[in-house]
Amino acid sequence: MSLQQKVDISREIQRITLAHGSGGVAMRDLVENEIVTAFSNPHLDALEDQARIDLRELTAFGDQLAMTTDSFVVDPLEFPGGDIGTLAVNGTVNDLAMCGAKPRHLTCGLIIEEGLSLDTLRRILSSMKKAADIAGVTIVSGDTKVVHKGAADKLFINTSGIGVIPEQTDISASGAQVGDVVIVNGWVGDHGATIMASREDLSLDTQLQSDCRPLYSEVNALLKSSAVHCLRDATRGGIATVLNEFADSSDVRIVLDQSAIPVRDEVRGVCELLGLDPLYLANEGKFVAVVPASDAENALRALKQCPGAENACVIGRVEAVTELRSYAGVSMKTTFGSERMIDMLTGDQLPRIC
Amino acid sequence: MSLQQKVDISREIQRITLAHGSGGVAMRDLVENEIVTAFSNPHLDALEDQARIDLRELTAFGDQLAMTTDSFVVDPLEFPGGDIGTLAVNGTVNDLAMCGAKPRHLTCGLIIEEGLSLDTLRRILSSMKKAADIAGVTIVSGDTKVVHKGAADKLFINTSGIGVIPEQTDISASGAQVGDVVIVNGWVGDHGATIMASREDLSLDTQLQSDCRPLYSEVNALLKSSAVHCLRDATRGGIATVLNEFADSSDVRIVLDQSAIPVRDEVRGVCELLGLDPLYLANEGKFVAVVPASDAENALRALKQCPGAENACVIGRVEAVTELRSYAGVSMKTTFGSERMIDMLTGDQLPRIC
């Protein structure tokens, strides 16, 4: 066995132990030499229990702070197009961006199962750092817990984040108006289909990748080119769920055009094989926007100039609740010419998708 | 069987299923009817993916934002003096308070194991609401994930928080000066001893209670009565760990007086039985402060007026690193007159203590 092989094996067997969560020497080593080193910035390097952020620095960007949190439990930890770390950063960055906020600072809470390989942890921390740099955010504070083998599944990550909302930005789920159109910023269902295809017990061989990426620059382009009545990223539950939330909050009907919804052939394939519907598949780089019809052309032109949103398109329109169609909700004109209801998801279609 | 018993049993069998984490109807029901209802406030009631906080409201309190995160994995979920919910709120509130920040807003990320009883969840959410009200913070945003049975242990909670640091407040772990004294705000080790005694496999019968509570008002009283060179809550790793961090960051020696450290007889009993050291036991309502000797009397007088800090006292002093005693670190004059080193914790003494 070569020296390099021995070194590789010795690195490989480095694993997280309960001592890494005890508050003592091993934990200090893990926190200082792995986590703080991976994310290094003045806030974290200070090794205090809290980050301290200049409030004037924030008020320069706007008048409202956006604050959000998300825990990530995706299985498997690593998949084509990303890993739980990429997801944890972009998920929270996107929740901030969806109200028009410029994402600024994140926290990172790790819950690690005893026995996790240190190499896996390092790869995931490195993904988080890369994703944070791309999104322009800093991971300013963190926490690490270790639980017994069997008390968690490898690694869960919570990220919480703050961003600043520019003045006079007011996007909500209740702003959809009759006559508005519904825009999506690209292919639908890639993340959900990728995760399902990656699960060991399926072992499907596809070229699919998660669409996990930060969306602030696209939101910014959209806001500059168009009024935006509703905006939300279509994660768990997919675009069907988000559109139902819009319809419900705005008391309108949303009518989709199936032929206009961009779904990759491979995603369709995975869906057919597993009996899933792409409209309910999770996305990690897709949003649904409701904008005035008169702004749609401008909005699409602006979006298509953003890398990753070249396939942005109108997929439906907002109609009134009438005597004949007396419910707020979502329906779809199918490619066969019929119309079917697109309800909220009722079962447990895709656990641990994010 | 009485009607009440039947009702009790029917409530008892309500459990969390994977559908509660799917993004669909069951999740909306759980989030809206259990979680948002439990914490109800305008931020959460809006059912948006992010809270929106007026930045002017924050700048009225100071010029720096404190931001922190903590995940809680305590086992058992419920224990004398609190539960994981109380802990999750007070833990983050106290991390904010330790830099002098007035805690303002928290997020709440739940990771729930399939099968958790809805009644247990309700009790814990209710504890969180109560603790938030007492601490004067609002839970403004949240996230809920459900994982398969066996992929987590009942319930993990992440709370992240922001607070505002008043102008000219500068507390850090590196501020200890030779001649300063070390103050603790009361009995040491209650939380750690309570959790260990509560674990099913020990079943010790004690009157012990966790000391879990918010510390902002005590910190505020301390800051008004004294200069504060170092301040940190003594959670995982206990006062020994915090004092080692102070000594290390400040490059000083800290010498404790064993006879001055307040430890309840029952905590001593649990420690003797289990071979633990109260100095390393977690606390959830105790901080260690380093203040100038000349301010100590004022500081103690102010603290003792705060409910819960009646037993605040000086437990040690800060000395210089000299040629003879050439290491930064912590030592203790024992009740037998000898002096022993108090190192950082090296093993995995107490997993899942918070």
Side-chain angles (χ1 to χ4, degrees):
Chain A
M1 191 183 295
S2 76
L3 180 62
Q4 187 54 49
Q5 282 173 315
K6 279 184 188 163
V7 168
D8 288 349
I9 286 170
S10 116
R11 281 174 57 92
E12 184 54 36
I13 58 169
Q14 284 188 283
R15 296 196 177 275
I16 296 292
T17 67
L18 285 175
H20 285 115
S22 68
V25 172
M27 179 166 142
R28 192 160 75 164
D29 177 54
L30 176 71
V31 168
E32 292 184 16
N33 297 329
E34 301 290 342
I35 302 172
V36 172
T37 307
F39 300 153
S40 181
N41 64 66
H43 292 291
L44 270 189
D45 298 348
L47 295 177
E48 297 288 350
D49 284 344
Q50 65 297 110
R52 299 160 198 200
I53 297 152
D54 190 339
L55 267 171
R56 283 162 307 187
E57 180 211 321
L58 295 178
T59 49
F61 289 98
D63 59 354
Q64 279 194 297
L65 195 73
M67 185 176 188
T68 191
T69 190
D70 237 330
S71 296
F72 296 85
V73 298
V74 68
D75 173 38
L77 290 183
E78 299 173 289
F79 45 80
D83 60 28
I84 190 172
T86 340
L87 216 57
V89 169
N90 288 328
T92 290
V93 158
N94 290 344
D95 273 351
L96 293 171
M98 289 307 133
C99 66
K102 184 172 171 57
R104 301 287 303 155
H105 302 294
L106 301 192
T107 60
C108 167
L110 305 174
I111 298 176
I112 310 176
E113 184 190 15
E114 178 189 20
L116 181 74
S117 129
L118 205 50
D119 271 353
T120 305
L121 182 65
R122 283 184 188 130
R123 282 197 305 278
I124 288 165
L125 294 174
S126 156
S127 294
M128 290 187 78
K129 166 68 172 163
K130 202 180 293 175
D133 285 348
I134 293 171
V137 295
T138 318
I139 296 168
V140 295
S141 189
D143 175 63
T144 304
K145 295 288 189 301
V146 180
V147 299
H148 289 99
K149 192 141 190 76
D153 190 10
K154 297 184 278 293
L155 176 64
F156 300 147
I157 302 181
N158 175 284
T159 52
S160 300
I162 57 171
V164 185
I165 308 173
E167 284 176 44
Q168 290 165 335
T169 310
D170 185 23
I171 306 168
S172 81
S174 60
Q177 291 172 23
V178 174
D180 286 351
V181 299
V182 178
I183 286 176
V184 69
N185 63 326
W187 300 105
V188 162
D190 291 3
H191 177 76
T194 304
I195 297 297
M196 295 313 285
S198 305
R199 296 238 167 114
E200 283 173 278
D201 46 349
L202 295 177
S203 302
L204 295 172
D205 186 21
T206 73
Q207 297 300 309
L208 275 175
Q209 284 211 346
S210 168
D211 59 345
C212 184
R213 65 202 172 87
L215 295 173
Y216 173 69
S217 58
E218 284 166 54
V219 170
N220 205 24
L222 185 68
L223 285 172
K224 281 184 175 152
S225 61
S226 166
V228 178
H229 291 164
C230 301
L231 182 66
R232 200 166 269 188
D233 52 343
T235 54
R236 256 187 304 181
I239 67 168
T241 300
V242 172
L243 290 172
N244 268 286
E245 288 164 354
F246 290 172
D248 197 43
S249 297
S250 306
D251 197 26
V252 294
R253 293 173 55 239
I254 292 177
V255 183
L256 299 177
D257 173 4
Q258 185 173 22
S259 66
I261 301 172
V263 182
R264 292 181 204 274
D265 286 343
E266 285 194 300
V267 172
R268 277 188 216 286
V270 170
C271 282
E272 275 167 28
L273 211 58
L274 299 173
L276 301 172
D277 182 335
L279 301 188
Y280 294 94
L281 284 185
N283 307 275
E284 291 294 338
K286 296 293 141 41
F287 59 69
V288 184
V290 174
V291 308
S294 55
D295 283 354
E297 203 179 315
N298 279 342
L300 287 181
R301 194 182 306 119
L303 281 176
K304 283 165 183 282
Q305 282 168 11
C306 300
E310 296 83 359
N311 296 295
C313 59
V314 170
I315 59 168
R317 61 187 191 285
V318 178
E319 299 191 355
V321 172
T322 61
E323 232 171 285
L324 241 148
R325 294 161 173 273
S326 60
Y327 46 83
V330 182
S331 62
M332 182 166 74
K333 294 245 160 76
T334 68
T335 44
F336 307 109
S338 62
E339 188 169 338
R340 71 172 173 97
M341 286 300 300
I342 306 291
D343 275 331
M344 289 282 283
L345 195 65
T346 48
D348 49 344
Q349 199 182 22
L350 300 168
R352 299 185 62 192
I353 205 74
C354 62
Chain B
M1 194 184 291
S2 76
L3 180 63
Q4 187 54 49
Q5 281 172 314
K6 280 184 189 164
V7 169
D8 288 349
I9 286 170
S10 116
R11 283 175 57 93
E12 184 54 35
I13 57 170
Q14 285 189 281
R15 297 195 178 276
I16 297 292
T17 67
L18 287 175
H20 286 114
S22 67
V25 173
M27 180 166 142
R28 193 160 76 164
D29 177 55
L30 176 70
V31 168
E32 292 184 17
N33 298 328
E34 300 292 341
I35 302 172
V36 172
T37 307
F39 299 154
S40 181
N41 64 67
H43 293 290
L44 271 189
D45 298 348
L47 295 178
E48 297 288 351
D49 283 345
Q50 66 296 110
R52 299 161 197 201
I53 298 153
D54 190 338
L55 268 170
R56 284 162 306 187
E57 179 213 321
L58 296 177
T59 50
F61 290 98
D63 58 355
Q64 280 194 298
L65 195 73
M67 186 177 186
T68 192
T69 190
D70 236 329
S71 296
F72 296 84
V73 298
V74 68
D75 174 37
L77 290 183
E78 299 174 288
F79 46 81
D83 59 30
I84 190 173
T86 340
L87 217 56
V89 169
N90 288 328
T92 290
V93 157
N94 290 345
D95 273 351
L96 293 171
M98 289 307 133
C99 65
K102 183 171 173 58
R104 301 287 301 155
H105 301 294
L106 301 191
T107 60
C108 167
L110 305 175
I111 298 176
I112 309 176
E113 183 190 17
E114 177 189 19
L116 180 75
S117 127
L118 204 52
D119 271 353
T120 304
L121 182 64
R122 284 185 188 130
R123 282 198 304 277
I124 288 165
L125 294 174
S126 157
S127 293
M128 291 187 78
K129 167 66 173 165
K130 203 181 291 177
D133 285 348
I134 292 171
V137 295
T138 318
I139 296 168
V140 295
S141 189
D143 174 64
T144 304
K145 294 289 190 301
V146 180
V147 298
H148 289 99
K149 190 138 193 80
D153 191 9
K154 296 183 280 293
L155 175 66
F156 301 147
I157 302 180
N158 176 283
T159 52
S160 300
I162 57 171
V164 186
I165 309 173
E167 284 176 45
Q168 291 164 338
T169 309
D170 185 24
I171 305 168
S172 80
S174 61
Q177 292 172 22
V178 173
D180 285 350
V181 299
V182 178
I183 285 176
V184 69
N185 63 326
W187 301 105
V188 162
D190 290 3
H191 178 75
T194 304
I195 297 298
M196 295 313 284
S198 303
R199 296 239 166 113
E200 282 173 277
D201 45 350
L202 295 177
S203 302
L204 294 171
D205 187 21
T206 72
Q207 297 301 309
L208 275 175
Q209 285 211 345
S210 167
D211 59 345
C212 184
R213 66 203 170 89
L215 295 173
Y216 172 70
S217 57
E218 284 166 54
V219 171
N220 205 25
L222 184 68
L223 286 171
K224 282 185 174 152
S225 61
S226 166
V228 178
H229 291 165
C230 302
L231 183 65
R232 202 166 267 189
D233 51 343
T235 54
R236 257 188 302 182
I239 67 168
T241 301
V242 172
L243 291 170
N244 268 286
E245 287 164 355
F246 289 171
D248 199 45
S249 298
S250 306
D251 196 27
V252 295
R253 293 173 54 241
I254 291 176
V255 183
L256 299 177
D257 173 3
Q258 185 173 24
S259 66
I261 301 172
V263 182
R264 291 181 205 273
D265 287 342
E266 286 195 298
V267 172
R268 277 188 216 287
V270 170
C271 282
E272 275 166 27
L273 211 57
L274 299 173
L276 302 171
D277 182 336
L279 301 188
Y280 295 93
L281 284 186
N283 307 275
E284 292 292 338
K286 295 293 141 42
F287 60 70
V288 185
V290 174
V291 307
S294 55
D295 283 354
E297 204 178 314
N298 279 342
L300 289 180
R301 195 180 308 119
L303 281 176
K304 283 165 183 280
Q305 282 169 11
C306 300
E310 298 81 359
N311 296 295
C313 59
V314 170
I315 59 169
R317 61 187 191 284
V318 178
E319 297 191 356
V321 173
T322 62
E323 234 171 288
L324 241 148
R325 293 161 175 273
S326 60
Y327 45 84
V330 181
S331 64
M332 182 167 75
K333 295 245 161 74
T334 68
T335 43
F336 306 109
S338 61
E339 188 170 338
R340 69 172 174 98
M341 286 299 300
I342 306 291
D343 275 331
M344 287 283 282
L345 194 65
T346 48
D348 51 345
Q349 200 182 21
L350 300 169
R352 300 185 61 191
I353 205 71
C354 62

